[in-house]
Amino acid sequence: MEHSFWHSKWHNNEIGFHEPTGNALLVKYSDVLLGSDSNEASQKRIFVPLCGKTRDIAWLLSKGCQVVGAELSEVAITQLFDDLDITPTVKSSSKGKVYSAPNLTIFVGDIFALRRDDIGEVKGVYDRAALVALPDELRRKYANHLIEITHNAPQLVITFDYDQSKLPGPPFCVDEKRVIDMYAGHYEISLLERSDVEGGLKKKVKADNLVFSLSI
Ligand SMILES: C[S@@+](CC[C@H](N)C(=O)[O-])C[C@H]1O[C@@H](n2cnc3c(N)ncnc32)[C@H](O)[C@@H]1O
C-alpha cells in the first residue's frame, strides 16, 4: 500500500483494525515471546512492527518488557502515548522521529528505513496485523527485512485466513502456506491455533485467526 493510504486511514480515524482492549491471543500465547518464567519477561526486549496504537504495547510493558515499535503514522503514535498516559521525549533522526519513554521506543516512519543498529538487540517480534497489512509483493520484502533487522529473533505472528476474492485487502489473507513460504528457511514454524474471527472479517466475510510461533 502507498504510505498515503495509511496516513489517510489515521487522519480519518478509519482504524477498524485497532482493538481497544488488546489482543487475547497475545495473552494466551505470550510464552512464545516471554518464556514461561514470569521473571524472565523483565529481561525481554520485544519489537512490535507496524504497531499502530495497539494496546498490546501496554500489556507487554505491564509484564516488564522493553518495547520497540515501528509505525508510519505520527497520529497513531501521539494517540498511543496519550492512551498510555506517558509524555514521550521526541527526537528527529534521518529515519524519521523517535518517540521514547522508559522501556518504550517507537520509530515513526517507514519500517524499511530501519537498520539493525537502530532497533538494537531484540529477543522477540510480535506481529499482529502487520504481515496482513501488506500486499503480496511487499510482504516477502517485509519478512526478509524483519529477519535482517531483528537478527532472526523468534516471532509470535497472528494473521487472517479467508477467501481473498470476497474482500479486497487490507487485511490480506496470509494463510499457513504463505507463512511457510516466507519463513521456512529461517524458522521452525508451528501453527498454534486456528479459530473463527468472531462475527467475520469487517463483519462481512468468514475468516480464521491463525497464530504461529516462529522459533529458531
Ligand atoms: C493493520 S494496522 C495494524 C496496527 C497494529 N499492529 C494493531 O494490531 O493494531 C497496520 C499499521 O501499519 C502501519 N504501516 C503501514 N505501512 C508501514 C510501513 N511501511 N512502515 C511502518 N508502518 C507502516 C500503518 O500505519 C498501520 O498503523
Side-chain angles (χ1 to χ4, degrees):
M1 314 310 295
E2 299 293 332
H3 291 180
S4 57
F5 171 88
W6 291 108
H7 286 305
S8 132
K9 289 280 171 204
W10 280 103
H11 182 74
N12 297 320
N13 202 31
E14 291 167 356
I15 52 167
F17 52 78
H18 177 67
E19 300 176 306
T21 55
N23 194 291
L25 295 169
L26 167 63
V27 178
K28 185 170 177 185
Y29 294 107
S30 59
D31 283 9
V32 171
L33 295 175
L34 309 186
S36 43
D37 177 356
S38 61
N39 292 324
E40 274 180 36
S42 58
Q43 293 141 35
K44 296 267 159 92
R45 197 148 181 272
I46 305 296
F47 184 50
V48 185
L50 281 60
C51 61
K53 59 168 183 171
T54 177
R55 295 300 295 159
D56 298 332
I57 287 178
W59 189 83
L60 289 166
L61 291 172
S62 78
K63 292 291 155 196
C65 297
Q66 295 174 30
V67 178
V68 184
E71 168 57 50
L72 204 52
S73 166
E74 192 165 12
V75 174
I77 298 313
T78 305
Q79 294 180 12
L80 171 76
F81 278 89
D82 282 353
D83 291 351
L84 290 169
D85 205 13
I86 296 174
T87 304
T89 302
V90 184
K91 291 197 172 136
S92 291
S93 82
S94 56
K95 314 273 169 73
K97 286 189 186 168
V98 185
Y99 278 58
S100 57
N103 294 329
L104 179 59
T105 304
I106 307 283
F107 293 92
V108 180
D110 186 357
I111 191 170
F112 293 105
L114 289 181
R115 295 290 167 260
R116 203 186 286 183
D117 285 352
D118 297 318
I119 65 170
E121 192 188 341
V122 291
K123 295 287 185 204
V125 176
Y126 173 55
D127 175 335
R128 184 261 161 187
L131 264 183
V132 300
L134 303 169
D136 271 338
E137 59 277 13
L138 209 53
R139 205 177 301 128
R140 182 172 292 280
K141 182 180 166 199
Y142 161 84
N144 288 337
H145 182 63
L146 203 51
I147 290 165
E148 158 60 26
I149 63 176
T150 69
H151 203 203
N152 229 31
Q155 300 194 32
L156 177 65
V157 180
I158 304 175
T159 70
F160 297 122
D161 185 5
Y162 70 97
D163 181 350
Q164 186 73 80
S165 69
K166 300 228 163 100
L167 197 76
F172 297 98
C173 167
V174 180
D175 57 15
E176 191 174 4
K177 181 177 175 307
R178 287 180 167 96
V179 172
I180 290 170
D181 273 357
M182 276 180 295
Y183 285 124
H186 303 273
Y187 293 103
E188 295 281 325
I189 300 171
S190 311
L191 177 61
L192 303 176
E193 174 167 330
R194 171 184 286 278
S195 52
D196 240 20
V197 173
E198 239 177 81
L201 207 52
K202 298 195 173 174
K203 300 199 168 45
K204 282 185 203 150
V205 175
K206 188 183 159 5
D208 288 340
N209 291 299
L210 302 187
V211 185
F212 298 92
S213 158
L214 274 50
S215 58
I216 44 177

